[in-house]
Amino acid sequence: MVYASFLLIALLYASVGQVGASGYIAVMALLGFAPESIKPTALVLNTLVSLLVTWRFMHVGRLNWKLLWPFAFAAVPMALLGGHLTLPMLWFDRLLGSLLLVAGIPFFLKKPNEASLKPPFNKLSPF
C-alpha cells in the first residue's frame, strides 16, 4: 500500500511539474513512520522523481539550462541542510501539520474559471 501511494503521488505531482514531497511526508506521517526515516525517504523520492522529470524534459528538448542551473545550484546544499536538521517530535508534528494545512488552503479558496478548466495542448510536452 505504501509503494502504491508513493507511485500515485509521484505520478500526480510529476504531471504538474512537482516532485511530491508534501504527499510523501503526509502518507508517511499518517502511517506512523518515524520522523528520522521520513526526511531521508522524502528526499530520495524527490530526487528520483526530479531526475526522471528532468530527463524527460531534456529528451524532448524542453529544458532551458540557463534557467535550471541557478535553482539546481541552490537546491542541492539547501536539501542537504534540511536533511541534516532535526526537530523534537512535538515541534515536527506541529510544523508538519501546519505546513500541510497552509499548502491545502488555496485548493479550497480558489474558484476555477473557464480558462483553467481547458487543458493546454502542446505537442512538445513530455507528458
Side-chain angles (χ1 to χ4, degrees), residues 7-100:
L7 178 61
L8 180 63
I9 290 167
L11 290 172
L12 290 174
Y13 275 75
S15 70
V16 294
Q18 302 294 315
V19 289
S22 60
Y24 308 134
I25 291 170
V27 167
M28 289 186 280
L30 290 172
L31 294 177
F33 280 55
E36 298 82 26
S37 66
I38 291 176
K39 289 191 304 185
T41 304
L43 182 59
V44 167
L45 290 170
N46 267 5
T47 303
L48 291 174
V49 173
S50 65
L51 287 173
L52 176 66
V53 171
T54 302
W55 179 81
R56 298 259 339 235
F57 272 93
M58 275 180 30
H59 184 66
V60 296
R62 300 291 293 174
L63 185 67
N64 185 339
W65 285 104
K66 288 182 180 181
L67 291 176
L68 176 67
W69 82 262
F71 291 104
F73 186 74
V76 171
M78 293 296 109
L80 292 173
L81 176 64
H84 180 68
L85 297 175
T86 302
L87 294 173
M89 183 66 143
L90 178 65
W91 284 103
F92 175 81
D93 289 342
R94 288 179 179 173
L95 182 62
L96 175 61
S98 300
L99 291 174
L100 289 174

Side-chain angles (χ1 to χ4, degrees), residues 87-127:
L87 294 173
M89 183 66 143
L90 178 65
W91 284 103
F92 175 81
D93 289 342
R94 288 179 179 173
L95 182 62
L96 175 61
S98 300
L99 291 174
L100 289 174
L101 286 172
V102 168
I105 288 172
F107 291 107
F108 295 106
L109 298 179
K110 185 176 180 185
K111 294 182 182 179
N113 58 26
E114 192 163 325
S116 69
L117 297 176
K118 293 181 183 178
F121 292 100
N122 184 349
K123 290 183 179 182
L124 295 176
S125 174
F127 302 107

